[in-house]
Amino acid sequence: MLGWHPHPTARPRVPVSPARASQADSLPVQAIAGYGALLALAWAISEDRRAIRWRTVLAGVALQGALALLLIGFAPAQRAVLLLNHAADALQTATDAGTAFLFGYLGGGALPFPELAPGSSVILAFKILPLVLVISALSALLFHWGVLQRLTAAFASVLRRAMGIDGPLALAAAVHIFVGMIEAPLLIRPYLTGMSRGEMFAMMSCGMAGQ
């Protein structure tokens, strides 16, 4: 029979119920309301509301919105973030391979016995801590080479004008996208002693938000 035929892999359109369509339309409203509720809660439980720097708050909200639009609609930005994510994954994979080579099944190698429950073979000292040590050693090496200072100065030059925050906090908040809340502070370890109490809390909040 001549005429148009659908591609074999094409899927027929499934009609969307009005209730589901209405629920999808309300998601942005819920997200904005939740965002506002979090800001209101942070203001309510603050120990000194008069010390809140609204420039930092408003600039942070605007920067998050701009980054969201950039990462959603700009393909090169998506590829750049994925490239950085692949680099972090490569570091994790290399660490796991070295740990398994050195410690065998204790460090994530093949088990000589069946695993009765998922994750029961994970040992903190041999599976989690090696990555912490690698990040700590990498931070010391980058600081020795002067790379960490240049990265921190670059973040500071941008975010100090926009949000009024320093480079170490900005760098730690940025790398939370790719590493955990333990590894990120180790990356700025040389600067930790000079950070204020508020900066430490902000860095911990970024780590908790990324979990």
Side-chain angles (χ1 to χ4, degrees):
M1 180 182 296
L2 298 178
W4 178 83
H5 296 277
H7 192 274
T9 59
R11 297 180 179 179
R13 293 185 178 180
V14 179
V16 180
S17 63
R20 185 177 294 273
S22 176
Q23 184 180 7
D25 293 338
S26 65
L27 286 179
V29 178
Q30 293 178 5
I32 295 175
Y35 202 102
L38 287 176
L39 293 177
L41 179 63
W43 176 84
I45 63 177
S46 175
E47 63 182 19
D48 189 0
R49 300 186 184 94
R50 292 176 297 180
I52 296 176
R53 293 187 292 183
W54 291 106
R55 172 194 170 190
T56 302
V57 176
L58 296 177
V61 172
L63 184 60
Q64 283 189 345
L67 286 176
L69 294 176
L70 180 66
L71 294 176
I72 290 174
F74 191 54
Q78 297 174 1
R79 289 194 291 267
V81 172
L82 286 176
L83 183 63
L84 293 174
N85 190 51
H86 291 332
D89 289 341
L91 183 63
Q92 174 73 63
T93 302
T95 303
D96 291 342
T99 305
F101 175 78
L102 185 62
F103 298 110
Y105 72 90
L106 295 176
L111 295 174
F113 50 83
E115 189 176 24
L116 299 179
S120 60
S121 62
V122 176
I123 302 175
L124 177 67
F126 298 104
K127 185 64 177 176
I128 309 300
L129 291 184
L131 182 61
V132 176
L133 296 177
V134 169
I135 295 293
S136 179
L138 183 62
S139 171
L141 186 62
L142 292 177
F143 189 83
H144 176 71
W145 286 345
V147 177
L148 191 60
Q149 293 92 318
R150 294 185 180 91
L151 284 175
T152 304
F155 274 93
S157 64
V158 175
L159 294 180
R160 185 178 289 120
R161 298 187 184 95
M163 300 180 61
I165 63 176
D166 290 330
L169 174 59
L171 181 59
V175 299
H176 270 112
I177 304 173
F178 310 105
V179 298
M181 64 180 301
I182 298 177
E183 295 87 355
L186 287 175
L187 192 62
I188 59 165
R189 185 179 60 176
Y191 300 96
L192 289 177
T193 55
M195 295 179 70
S196 66
R197 181 167 169 260
E199 290 174 332
M200 294 287 287
F201 181 78
M203 182 176 61
M204 293 171 61
S205 299
C206 290
M208 296 293 289
Q211 298 303 308

